[in-house]
């Protein structure tokens, strides 16, 4: 029987307060590492757990931490990516609103591991409640000695600051986030150097997602073997799945990594709305290629979804039923990427503008012969040729829609109208 | 605390004053409602940074407004999850009820209507943000009730004799 850990406090009354977090065993992981582990041992523990980053890319967290150079005269920074702008995704907001101390403990343990004394939590500015609760939790943690100087009688000093974003999706890209934190327009940096070597203020910097950091205290208290024992070997652990769209029970579900997408949607989230059938599911936020209904047996983990031609991404699962036009869905997704393109590189800035115009024309019943070939060509020109993954995400999503639902695009062009309107 | 003091306090979190531009703009926007040129210049002066650095941030991020917005900024999410749950018809309803188009402000300055990209609350789609608050699982009836409560919170329109008569003691 799977036991949720990341969401165990979510329904607790006043679960955002320190008293509730401590009553559930909170901050025991921080006590444990400060009294029993060296920083290197914490890194090793996280490596053994095989925790892979929950922000989208799935890079092994312990390995990322181990890239931070030892010593040196520059301060080391920990940045928490709480920008959460991927449509379909809301897991980090719920952790920050209802269990912010879980994140703060994760930050403190992770900061100890990498040798950082300062952390910035980059939260999207729209998340006003999350920001307020985090501010309150940081103040409580300071007062109780979980943050500040000489934490719990050790020689570890650690401060957490909140940095509010201001409505730019690109800030979720780690180097663009660093630019934004430095007070510049959020545009991605060329890599290398990678942030672990030269990140914030050109200092060694680790950037982890909220959910990733929330996993860390549980790995400390329950052990790496416990974590590895959940889900597939190559992507283990508990996972938060955000389910939304045309489904009976949208919501946040904590289940083992690797759970079949069909089980998640049809059993846990209640299946399609009355009288409807599922047509397609976007499994990992809008940059994840759409999966048609016939392929929903795929496991919800990094490797299974990659093998199926999609990706876990942010695990923002969007359910689309048979009443919906896939051209309209694809158009709205590309409109999003077009709107959010930072403008730094030409394939993304100009290419997505072109793609949006063609898609809007097709959806309006004004498509022309050759439009689909032109879209194929534009995807080829964008994918792999952009500065960051934003353009890739757009191209991948459109390619999948064109592959699985080409008949709908053709119907729009041939009939000169949207068959769903 | 004055705006300058608030900005200086926020800036203490960073080793570089340039990092404090975004927090300073948040503070300034709360203070002034929007960010006209003189306010941007004041922010630059307080932080001792180049004015162009402040301008380039104020025009890059969508939460910063260099033009005035209404007392209530209705920000309806119309991204995929909200679209699938009916945000289009809600936008049409809002445009009809407020007698404005998306992007406009009502003549009385009470409401500005915008559509926005994902608000990160897809579990309660369709969602709209008004000020600091999210309103989810919206339908036409809930929207109307919300508009009524916002109008009530704004108080009676200036010069409305019936409204002024209903206030005891005045």
């Amino acid at each position: 029987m799977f036991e949720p850990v990341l969401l165990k406090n979510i329904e607790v009354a006043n679960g955002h307060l320190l008293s509730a977090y401590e009553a559930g065993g909170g901050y025991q992981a921080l006590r444990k590492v400060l009294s029993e582990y060296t920083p290197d041992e914490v890194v090793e523990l996280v490596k053994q757990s095989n925790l892979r980053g929950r922000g989208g890319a799935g890079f092994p967290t312990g390995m990322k931490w181990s890239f931070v150079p030892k010593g040196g005269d520059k301060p080391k920074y920990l940045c928490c990516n709480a920008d959460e702008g991927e449509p379909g995704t809301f897991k980090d907001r719920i952790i920050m609103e209802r269990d912010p101390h879980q994140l703060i403990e994760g930050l403190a343990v992770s900061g100890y591991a990498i040798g950082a004394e300062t952390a910035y939590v980059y939260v999207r500015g729209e998340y006003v409640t999350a920001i307020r609760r985090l501010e309150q939790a940081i103040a409580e943690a300071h007062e109780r000695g979980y943050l500040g100087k000489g934490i719990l009688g050790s020689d570890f000093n650690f401060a957490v600051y909140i940095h509010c974003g201001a409505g730019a999706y690109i800030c979720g890209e780690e180097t663009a986030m660093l630019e934004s934190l430095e007070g510049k327009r959020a545009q991605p940096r060329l890599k290398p150097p990678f942030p672990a070597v030269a990140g914030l203020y050109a200092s060694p910097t680790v950037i982890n997602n909220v959910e990733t950091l929330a996993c860390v205290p549980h790995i400390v208290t329950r052990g790496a073997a416990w974590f590895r024992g959940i889900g597939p070997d190559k992507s283990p652990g508990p996972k938060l799945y955000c389910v939304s769209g045309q489904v009976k029970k949208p919501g946040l579900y904590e289940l083992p990594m690797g759970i079949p997408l069909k089980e998640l949607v049809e059993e846990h989230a209640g299946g399609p709305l009355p009288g409807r059938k599922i047509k397609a599911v976007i499994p990992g936020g809008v940059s994840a290629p759409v999966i048609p209904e016939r392929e929903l047996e795929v496991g919800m983990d990094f490797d299974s979804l990659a093998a199926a031609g999609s990706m876990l991404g942010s695990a923002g699962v969007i359910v689309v039923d048979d009443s919906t036009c896939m051209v309209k869905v694809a158009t709205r997704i590309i409109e999003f990427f077009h709107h959010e393109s930072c403008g730094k590189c030409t394939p993304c800035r100009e290419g997505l503008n072109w793609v949006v115009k063609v898609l809007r024309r097709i959806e309006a019943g004004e498509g022309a012969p050759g439009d689909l070939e032109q879209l194929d060509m534009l995807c080829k020109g964008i994918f792999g040729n952009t500065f960051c993954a934003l353009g890739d995400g757009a191209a991948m999503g459109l390619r999948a829609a064109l592959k699985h639902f080409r008949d709908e695009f053709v119907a729009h062009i041939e009939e000169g109208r949207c068959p769903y309107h | 605390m004055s705006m300058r003091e608030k900005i200086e306090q926020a800036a203490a979190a960073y080793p570089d004053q340039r990092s404090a531009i975004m927090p300073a703009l948040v503070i300034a926007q709360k203070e002034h409602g929007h960010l006209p040129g003189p306010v941007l210049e004041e922010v630059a002066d307080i932080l001792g940074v180049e004015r162009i650095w402040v301008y380039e941030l104020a025009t890059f991020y969508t939460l910063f407004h260099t033009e005035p917005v209404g007392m209530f900024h209705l920000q309806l999410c119309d991204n995929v999850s909200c679209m699938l749950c009916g945000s289009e018809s809600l936008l049409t309803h809002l445009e009809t009820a407020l007698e404005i188009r998306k992007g406009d402000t009502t003549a009385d300055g009470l409401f500005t209507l915008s559509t926005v990209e994902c608000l990160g609350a897809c579990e309660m789609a369709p969602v709209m943000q008004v000020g600091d608050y999210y309103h989810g699982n919206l339908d036409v009836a809930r929207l109307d009730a919300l508009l009524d409560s916002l109008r009530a919170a704004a108080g009676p329109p200036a010069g409305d004799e019936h409204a002024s008569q209903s206030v005891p003691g005045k």
Side-chain angles (χ1 to χ4, degrees), chain B residues 85-117:
Chain B
C85 295
S87 63
E88 270 181 326
S89 60
L90 297 183
L91 176 63
T92 304
H93 180 75
L94 282 169
E95 288 181 328
T96 306
L98 299 174
E99 298 178 331
I100 55 172
R101 301 301 303 271
K102 177 177 82 170
D104 293 341
T105 300
T106 53
D108 59 6
L110 212 52
F111 297 107
T112 296
L113 176 61
S114 303
T115 54
V116 294
E117 300 299 343

Side-chain angles (χ1 to χ4, degrees), chain A residues 77-133:
Chain A
Y77 292 103
L78 176 61
C79 293
C80 172
N81 187 341
D83 196 52
E84 191 159 63
E86 183 86 3
T89 314
F90 47 86
K91 61 192 178 70
D92 297 339
R93 186 192 98 244
I94 289 180
I95 290 177
M96 290 186 286
E97 284 183 357
R98 301 198 203 167
D99 198 2
H101 283 285
Q102 186 176 204
L103 171 59
I104 292 170
E105 186 175 18
L107 282 163
V109 172
S110 307
Y112 175 73
I114 66 165
E117 294 196 345
T118 305
Y120 293 101
V121 183
Y122 192 107
V123 192
R124 62 178 298 178
E126 293 93 332
Y127 281 3
V128 178
T129 303
I131 291 163
R132 281 188 187 143
R133 295 241 169 118

Side-chain angles (χ1 to χ4, degrees), chain A residues 14 16 19 29 35 64 112 122 132 143-144 149 170 178-179 186 205 237 247 270 294 304 320 340 343 389 398-399 404:
Chain A
N14 290 320
H16 62 287
S19 53
S35 59
K64 185 188 267 189
Y112 175 73
Y122 192 107
R132 281 188 187 143
E143 200 168 304
R144 197 64 65 91
K149 294 201 178 294
I170 191 63
L178 297 177
E179 288 286 294
T205 303
V247 67
R294 62 183 177 276
S304 302
V320 181
E340 296 300 320
L398 180 56
R399 273 179 172 169
H404 296 301

Side-chain angles (χ1 to χ4, degrees), chain B residues 30 51-52 67 69 71 74 89-90 156:
Chain B
K30 272 188 187 159
R51 288 181 174 181
I52 186 62
E67 299 293 328
V69 291
M71 180 183 289
L74 310 179
S89 60
L90 297 183

Side-chain angles (χ1 to χ4, degrees), chain A residues 258-278:
Chain A
I259 189 173
L261 178 54
K262 193 177 182 72
E263 180 185 332
L264 173 63
V265 170
E266 296 200 342
E267 293 179 27
H268 298 279
L273 299 171
R276 292 294 172 198
K277 289 179 182 169
I278 293 172

Side-chain angles (χ1 to χ4, degrees), chain A residues 113-400:
Chain A
I114 66 165
E117 294 196 345
T118 305
Y120 293 101
V121 183
Y122 192 107
V123 192
R124 62 178 298 178
E126 293 93 332
Y127 281 3
V128 178
T129 303
I131 291 163
R132 281 188 187 143
R133 295 241 169 118
L134 270 175
E135 283 172 347
Q136 184 181 10
I138 289 168
E140 282 186 313
H142 259 286
E143 200 168 304
R144 197 64 65 91
Y146 297 132
L147 293 176
K149 294 201 178 294
I151 294 172
L152 299 174
S154 72
D155 58 0
F156 176 50
N157 307 321
F158 193 63
V160 177
Y161 299 103
I162 297 168
H163 187 97
C164 294
Y169 170 70
I170 191 63
C171 294
E173 199 281 333
E174 61 179 13
T175 61
M177 173 173 290
L178 297 177
E179 288 286 294
S180 185
L181 261 166
E182 290 181 6
K184 302 166 193 165
R185 287 185 165 211
Q187 293 186 314
R189 296 175 180 172
L190 190 65
K191 293 186 283 192
F194 289 93
V197 177
L200 187 62
Y201 309 123
S203 289
T205 303
V206 165
I207 302 150
N208 287 140
N209 173 256
V210 172
E211 185 188 350
T212 311
L213 291 162
C215 287
V216 171
H218 303 291
I219 292 169
V220 171
T221 52
R222 292 168 183 252
W226 161 80
F227 194 85
R228 270 203 327 272
I230 300 168
D233 288 344
K234 289 184 178 174
S235 349
K239 180 76 194 88
L240 298 180
Y241 301 102
C242 318
V243 185
S244 66
Q246 293 162 323
V247 67
K248 278 186 192 143
K249 295 193 295 181
L252 185 62
Y253 295 90
E254 181 178 354
L255 293 161
M257 187 75 92
I259 189 173
L261 178 54
K262 193 177 182 72
E263 180 185 332
L264 173 63
V265 170
E266 296 200 342
E267 293 179 27
H268 298 279
L273 299 171
R276 292 294 172 198
K277 289 179 182 169
I278 293 172
K279 180 195 272 190
V281 178
I282 298 167
V286 293
S287 54
V290 66
I291 293 176
E293 193 277 336
R294 62 183 177 276
E295 295 176 16
L296 295 189
E297 289 292 352
V298 64
M300 287 293 287
D301 61 82
F302 297 106
D303 303 310
S304 302
L305 280 162
S310 188
M311 60 184 194
L312 181 65
S314 58
V317 177
I318 304 174
V319 180
V320 181
D321 74 22
D322 59 349
S323 68
T324 302
C325 170
M326 290 305 293
V327 178
K328 185 173 179 177
V329 172
T331 304
R332 186 64 192 86
I333 289 172
I334 299 299
E335 283 174 339
F336 167 74
F337 284 109
H338 171 235
H339 182 269
E340 296 300 320
S341 174
C342 76
K344 179 162 182 160
C345 65
T346 310
C348 181
R349 184 185 64 243
E350 305 297 334
L352 292 178
N353 187 42
W354 191 350
V355 171
V356 161
K357 285 178 178 168
V358 175
L359 284 171
R360 283 179 180 159
R361 212 158 31 74
I362 295 173
E363 168 65 356
E366 296 164 4
D371 273 353
L372 300 189
E373 290 71 24
Q374 189 173 50
L375 289 176
D376 291 333
M377 181 270 289
L378 285 164
C379 285
K380 193 176 173 187
I382 295 168
F383 186 84
N385 295 317
T386 54
F387 215 86
C388 73
L390 190 144
D392 285 353
M396 286 192 300
L398 180 56
R399 273 179 172 169

